[in-house]
């Protein structure tokens, strides 16, 4: 039931009819008038593009400039030479390399756990029939409403007692718990759209209830899994609050925490390395976005409406 | 057949791990945190029962009240801004650009997936003064003005935070509302057009009422996410100047983890939760009243 925003707006009247009646002078002038009327639209769209793109381009260009270049010709000038010095400085001098590695090491297990547990729970709550399933769904749904701040202090005490504060485990566990309610709820609503007959037919062919889930349920949800996985990927990757709370040593910091301390370190003196560290973030996410933008947009919008 | 779907062992295997994790690490901590809000202290000092003292302290704590104020102002301004801009963009996509809107939609959406920390650092550099002056002050200088140190004032910091939030989230809200606008039946719009409704009046009397449900969801979603604002104000200016732009979330974080006041920190977290609840209910109620009119 994802919002399929990739389909063109079918309900919208077609723009400019392609098959014009025999061309008369009045028809031509009407066409010209229409073109003229589009000019304000193009100005608005152009302004929109500048507002959206300029800050990003400015930052990426800035990451290639030397400090003196940055000061002498600001704004949108291209760097004199495309130098990667800033990137080298950021990755070697600071902890940025380690930070990116930590982010990967935290995000991938978290997203896999969230999706795997969420799909299984969604299947059990929607396809299976048992007493109290509605109540259980509501019980899990309630978790979406509660802000993360509400569980930070108890979890901190818990992780400290368990003696795992010197690892990335607290982050992985917390992200999994935080992402689980929404994922379970969304998966349940996706499974609702699957006709029950499919599972019944498989059972006739001798499939066990658990096999039904792995052999039919999971493959059927491939699209939904990818969409939800992407949404969770961004929310885990971009998180600062949980990462900051459970980061006890600088070498355990994720990239968002790393950027924050890098900004304190370089903030007012040197732009290059900071810009380079931020630009890596922008460029990597841009590549992911270019490849999968339809899924990401549909997934994020769908999650918001239901959540 | 029923027994296949009712197989208890399968339910237990599939739901068990998620339910256990959720109960132990979400539900129990929420109750635990609720309980902690009536205590004072931390794990090293030990906890002492203080009843509702933390809540009384909160009401007389200027820093706390300032942080509620920051969260609420930020939330209202950001919600009004991002839902309005998102709605205008959605109208642009559906009624003006029509089929050609895919590229614009995608480009404007992109900042929504950027980390808030990265966006905050970008805007921080964008309005910077001094050795690394950003384009905003270059522009002011170009028109003959003096450079302004935007982040030196509470007002400037809040304004920058709101502008950067709108910049990064308007594309997201546009896509959200766009999906809602597509659901409006074309014949309704067409018949209103025939009856002479055009432009603003068409939007005011036909489009807005028909897209009210999705508009309502967007407003609630927006309040719930902006009341929890943390990254943007922290990364932009550290809640400064001083602590004048520290939202409730940041005050909670500092109280709990920098000053190790677990009890009072839990109280602040509870206030935040209640605030989210109150805003959600308020939006619901106000629209119900409107529907009854």
């Amino acid at each position: 039931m994802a919002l399929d925003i990739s389909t063109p707006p079918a309900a919208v009247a077609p723009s400019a009819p392609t098959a014009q009646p025999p061309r008369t002078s009045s028809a031509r002038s009407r066409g010209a008038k229409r073109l003229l009327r589009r000019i304000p639209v193009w100005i608005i769209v152009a302004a929109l593009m500048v507002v959206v793109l300029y800050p990003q381009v400015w930052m990426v260009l800035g990451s290639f400039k030397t400090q003196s270049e940055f000061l002498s010709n600001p704004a949108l000038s291209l760097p004199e030479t495309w130098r990667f010095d800033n990137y080298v400085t950021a990755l070697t001098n600071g902890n940025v390399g380690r930070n990116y590695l930590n982010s990967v090491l935290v995000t991938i297990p978290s997203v896999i756990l969230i999706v795997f547990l969420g799909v299984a729970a969604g299947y059990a709550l929607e396809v299976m029939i048992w007493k109290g399933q509605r109540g259980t769904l509501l019980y899990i749904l309630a978790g979406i409403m509660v802000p993360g701040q509400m569980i930070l202090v108890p979890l901190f005490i818990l992780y400290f007692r368990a003696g795992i504060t010197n690892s990335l485990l607290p982050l992985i566990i917390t992200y999994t718990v935080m992402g689980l309610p929404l994922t379970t709820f969304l998966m349940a609503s996706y499974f609702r759209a699957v006709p029950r007959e499919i599972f019944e037919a498989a059972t006739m062919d001798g499939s066990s209830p658990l096999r039904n889930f792995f052999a039919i349920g999971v493959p059927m949800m491939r699209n939904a899994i990818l969409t939800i996985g992407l949404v969770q990927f961004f929310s885990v990757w971009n998180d600062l609050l949980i990462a900051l709370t459970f980061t006890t040593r600088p070498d355990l910091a994720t990239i968002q925490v790393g950027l924050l301390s890098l900004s304190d370190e370089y903030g007012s003196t040197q732009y290059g390395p900071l810009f380079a560290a931020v630009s890596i973030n922008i460029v990597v996410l841009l590549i992911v976005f270019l490849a999968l933008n339809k899924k990401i947009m549909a997934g994020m919008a769908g999650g918001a409406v239901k959540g | 057949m029923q027994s296949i779907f009712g197989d208890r062992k399968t339910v237990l295997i599939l739901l068990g791990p998620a339910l256990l994790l959720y109960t132990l690490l979400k539900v129990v901590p929420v109750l635990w945190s609720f309980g902690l809000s009536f205590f004072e202290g931390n794990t090293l000092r030990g906890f002492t029962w203080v009843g509702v003292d933390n809540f009384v302290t909160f009401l007389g704590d200027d820093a706390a009240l300032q942080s509620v104020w920051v969260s609420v102002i930020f939330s209202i301004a950001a919600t009004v801004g991002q839902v309005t801009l998102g709605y205008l963009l959605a109208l642009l996509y559906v009624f003006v650009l029509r089929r050609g809107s895919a590229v614009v939609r995608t480009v404007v959406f992109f900042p929504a997936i950027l980390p808030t920390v990265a966006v905050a650092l970008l805007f921080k550099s964008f309005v910077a003064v001094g050795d690394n002056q950003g384009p905003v002050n270059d522009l002011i200088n170009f028109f003959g003005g003096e450079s302004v140190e935007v982040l030196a004032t509470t007002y400037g910091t809040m304004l920058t935070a709101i502008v950067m939030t709108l910049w990064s989230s308007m594309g997201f809200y546009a896509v959200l509302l766009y999906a809602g606008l597509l659901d409006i039946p074309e014949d309704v719009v067409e018949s209103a057009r025939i009856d002479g409704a055009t432009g603003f009046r068409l939007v005011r009397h036909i489009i807005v009422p028909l897209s009210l449900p999705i508009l309502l969801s967007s407003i609630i979603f927006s309040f719930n996410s902006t009341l929890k604002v943390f990254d943007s104000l922290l990364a932009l200016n550290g809640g400064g100047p001083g602590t004048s732009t520290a939202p409730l979330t940041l005050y909670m974080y500092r109280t709990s983890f920098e000053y190790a006041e677990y009890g009072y920190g839990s109280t602040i977290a509870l206030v935040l939760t209640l605030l989210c609840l109150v805003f959600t209910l308020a939006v619901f109620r106000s629209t119900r009243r409107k529907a009854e009119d």
Side-chain angles (χ1 to χ4, degrees):
Chain A
M1 267 196 355
L3 294 165
D4 189 5
I5 49 159
S6 56
T7 45
V12 170
S15 53
T18 40
Q20 287 268 341
R23 278 185 178 265
T24 59
S25 63
S26 80
R28 199 171 300 144
S29 80
R30 220 182 303 139
K33 233 182 249 161
R34 181 177 304 218
L35 209 64
L36 214 62
R37 238 184 305 137
R38 297 295 280 186
I39 288 177
V41 174
W42 290 120
I43 292 173
I44 291 172
V45 170
L48 192 63
M49 292 293 108
V50 170
V51 167
V52 171
L53 292 176
Y54 174 73
Q56 301 173 56
V57 175
W58 176 74
M59 173 140 285
V60 175
L61 286 181
S63 72
F64 289 103
K65 291 179 183 173
T66 61
Q67 189 70 4
S68 61
E69 226 182 307
F70 197 90
L71 302 182
S72 55
N73 37 352
L76 248 193
S77 61
L78 288 173
E80 279 157 25
T81 48
W82 293 86
R83 51 179 77 240
F84 284 85
D85 296 8
N86 291 325
Y87 287 83
V88 175
T89 311
L91 287 172
T92 53
N93 261 7
N95 268 332
V96 174
R98 178 76 223 178
N99 294 149
Y100 271 107
L101 182 65
N102 284 338
S103 273
V104 172
L105 289 177
V106 165
T107 308
I108 290 176
S110 304
V111 171
I112 290 175
L113 275 172
I114 292 171
V115 168
F116 190 77
L117 292 172
V119 174
Y123 185 88
L125 284 168
E126 195 55 48
V127 179
M128 303 299 286
I129 300 168
W130 45 284
K131 229 173 136 184
Q133 66 186 124
R134 288 253 71 86
T136 312
L137 186 62
L138 282 177
Y139 170 70
I140 291 178
L141 200 58
I144 301 176
M145 315 278 198
V146 182
Q149 275 80 5
M150 209 50 197
I151 61 170
L152 289 186
V153 171
L155 287 184
F156 196 82
I157 299 173
L158 212 63
Y159 296 145
F160 197 75
R161 292 222 179 117
I164 53 171
T165 41
N166 262 332
S167 66
L168 292 170
L169 271 178
L171 290 184
I172 297 172
I173 296 171
T174 313
Y175 287 131
T176 306
V177 172
M178 295 288 289
L180 206 50
L182 184 62
T183 307
T184 303
F185 176 65
L186 289 176
M187 285 317 303
S189 63
Y190 287 134
F191 274 122
R192 198 167 303 150
V194 178
R196 206 166 275 278
E197 286 76 20
I198 293 174
F199 299 106
E200 283 172 3
T203 309
M204 297 285 215
D205 294 339
S207 173
S208 77
L210 201 57
R211 234 191 89 94
N212 267 356
F213 168 69
F214 285 107
I216 305 166
V218 174
M220 248 178 146
M221 288 294 130
R222 244 192 332 235
N223 251 329
I225 287 171
L226 182 62
T227 308
I228 293 179
L230 278 169
V231 173
Q232 291 299 336
F233 170 83
F234 288 118
S235 76
V236 174
W237 182 270
N238 293 349
D239 170 79
L240 178 67
L241 176 68
I242 291 162
L244 204 59
T245 306
F246 298 122
T247 300
T248 46
R249 293 200 321 254
D251 59 315
L252 289 176
T254 62
I255 184 58
Q256 310 310 337
V257 176
L259 283 181
L260 203 59
S261 52
L262 199 66
S263 128
D264 292 338
E265 195 179 326
Y266 289 113
S268 49
T269 52
Q270 243 190 319
Y271 264 179
L274 180 65
F275 275 30
V278 174
S279 295
I280 301 174
N281 238 324
I282 295 184
V283 171
V284 169
L285 292 176
L286 180 64
I287 292 167
V288 176
F289 187 66
L290 283 179
L292 297 159
N293 62 70
K294 276 174 188 155
K295 281 231 147 44
I296 294 167
M297 288 158 77
M300 284 178 63
V305 171
K306 298 199 181 96
Chain B
M1 197 50 74
Q2 211 64 335
S3 70
I4 296 303
F5 292 119
D7 186 62
R8 282 183 170 277
K9 210 179 82 192
T10 311
V11 172
L12 206 65
I13 293 171
L14 294 179
L15 186 61
L19 205 57
L20 195 71
L21 206 63
Y22 172 71
T23 305
L24 286 182
L25 295 173
K26 181 105 196 197
V27 178
V28 170
V30 166
L31 299 175
W32 187 348
S33 178
F34 181 77
L36 276 181
S37 63
F38 299 100
F39 283 87
E40 196 270 312
N42 60 41
T43 34
L44 295 177
R45 272 191 285 146
F47 291 97
T48 32
W49 169 267
V50 292
V52 293
D53 274 12
N54 283 336
F55 296 89
V56 176
T57 310
F58 187 91
L59 291 175
D61 180 355
D62 286 339
L65 297 179
Q66 171 71 14
S67 69
V68 171
W69 186 238
V70 168
S71 291
V72 169
I73 292 285
F74 178 85
S75 182
I76 292 174
T79 298
V80 169
Q82 63 199 7
V83 174
T84 309
L85 279 177
Y87 200 69
L88 290 175
L89 284 173
L91 290 173
L92 178 78
Y93 298 163
V94 175
F95 295 106
V96 183
L97 297 178
R98 299 191 178 132
R99 274 156 204 279
S101 75
V103 173
V104 180
R105 231 156 58 211
T106 311
V107 172
V108 180
F109 185 92
F110 176 65
I113 65 161
L114 291 178
T116 315
V117 179
V119 176
L121 295 181
L122 169 56
F123 273 75
K124 189 182 183 175
S125 335
F126 220 61
V127 298
V129 281
D131 288 348
N132 298 312
Q133 178 157 301
V136 170
N137 275 312
D138 286 340
L139 198 70
I140 294 175
N141 291 162
F142 179 79
F143 286 108
E146 290 274 312
S147 291
V148 185
E149 199 175 345
V150 178
L151 296 181
T153 61
T154 308
Y155 179 76
T157 307
M158 286 297 276
L159 190 69
T160 313
I162 289 161
V163 168
M164 69 166 257
T165 303
L166 299 185
W167 179 79
S168 63
S169 65
M170 63 181 182
F172 168 77
Y173 282 90
V175 166
L176 196 65
L177 293 159
Y178 169 80
L181 288 184
L182 288 185
D183 288 341
I184 297 176
E186 172 63 13
D187 49 339
V188 174
V189 178
E190 208 42 59
S191 63
R193 272 210 184 107
I194 291 165
D195 291 345
T198 49
F200 179 73
R201 287 184 49 203
L202 182 72
V203 172
R204 165 84 180 72
H205 295 287
I206 308 294
I207 313 287
V208 170
L210 284 176
S211 55
L212 211 54
I214 185 80
L215 212 48
L216 183 63
S217 310
S218 309
I219 293 171
I220 290 175
F221 180 76
S222 170
F223 270 128
N224 272 315
S225 51
T226 51
L227 276 172
K228 294 179 213 158
V229 58
F230 180 75
D231 326 15
S232 30
L233 285 166
L234 175 58
L236 190 64
N237 208 5
T243 55
S244 62
T245 62
L248 204 50
T249 49
L250 184 56
Y251 189 58
M252 183 269 164
Y253 172 82
R254 285 181 173 158
T255 306
S256 309
F257 302 111
E258 284 175 18
Y259 301 107
E261 293 286 352
Y262 288 1
Y264 192 41
S266 297
T267 308
I268 302 172
L270 188 61
V271 172
L272 177 71
T273 309
L274 292 176
L275 208 60
C276 291
L277 210 64
V278 165
F279 268 78
T280 306
L281 291 178
V283 175
F284 263 126
R285 280 189 64 127
S286 71
T287 46
R288 202 194 310 147
R289 203 170 309 129
K290 215 172 269 171
E292 279 164 4
D293 283 347

